[in-house]
Amino acid sequence: MEKLTASLEDYLEIICNYSNANKGIRAVDISRKLNISRASVTEALKKLANKGYINYGRYDSISLTENGKVLAESVISKHSVLQIFFENVLGLSEAEASINACRIEHVITDNAFNKISELIGKNKNE
């Protein structure tokens, strides 16, 4: 899979979260959620559709393709593990942990992420 920008990964994450809650999502919903212009959202959605990550029609609900779902779930998983790490291991507040997890989920190497996952797993077992 092609590496996407952090911004495009955030779009996939939002679409996936709406889908998991059994809610349809449209471009206007994303625009409101991210507090950005509808034109910017439309441009990003076209990029994701062209790369094969979403199904997008101008007036239709947006849905993830299989590849889009895999990538979105990977980003969500990273966010979750990092959030747990920042809260439970480093003692950050939930808000600060979430902010940091959102920033780091896009750039962390697989090796570093795996090490953090292992550390969290060990801490749960103790």
Side-chain angles (χ1 to χ4, degrees):
M1 264 185 263
E2 176 184 346
K3 180 71 176 147
L4 297 180
T5 64
S7 175
L8 290 178
E9 285 184 351
D10 285 340
Y11 281 88
L12 291 178
E13 192 173 1
I14 290 167
I15 295 165
C16 188
N17 285 333
Y18 268 77
S19 296
N20 290 341
N22 293 321
K23 295 179 181 178
I25 187 167
R26 297 167 298 140
V28 67
D29 300 318
I30 297 171
S31 176
R32 289 181 186 140
K33 175 104 173 129
L34 294 175
N35 196 30
I36 57 176
S37 75
R38 178 81 193 275
S40 294
V41 171
T42 299
E43 183 179 326
L45 293 175
K46 286 179 181 177
K47 286 179 185 175
L48 288 169
N50 288 338
K51 293 177 184 295
Y53 292 111
I54 64 169
N55 300 305
Y56 169 66
R58 189 169 174 158
Y59 299 106
D60 298 330
S61 283
I62 302 158
S63 63
L64 295 169
T65 63
E66 232 6 82
N67 283 340
K69 186 173 174 115
V70 168
L71 183 54
E73 288 176 349
S74 171
V75 174
I76 291 168
S77 173
K78 284 181 181 177
H79 184 105
S80 177
V81 168
L82 291 168
Q83 175 124 9
I84 291 167
F85 173 74
F86 290 132
E87 285 183 44
N88 297 350
V89 177
L90 299 184
L92 300 181
S93 70
E94 182 180 346
E96 188 176 4
S98 182
I99 289 167
N100 281 290
C102 192
R103 290 178 180 164
I104 294 172
E105 69 195 19
H106 305 289
V107 296
I108 192 167
T109 64
D110 288 340
N111 186 46
F113 178 73
N114 292 336
K115 297 285 186 187
I116 290 171
S117 295
E118 289 172 16
L119 180 64
I120 289 172
K122 288 178 185 172
N123 283 348
K124 281 184 180 178
N125 296 330
E126 292 177 357

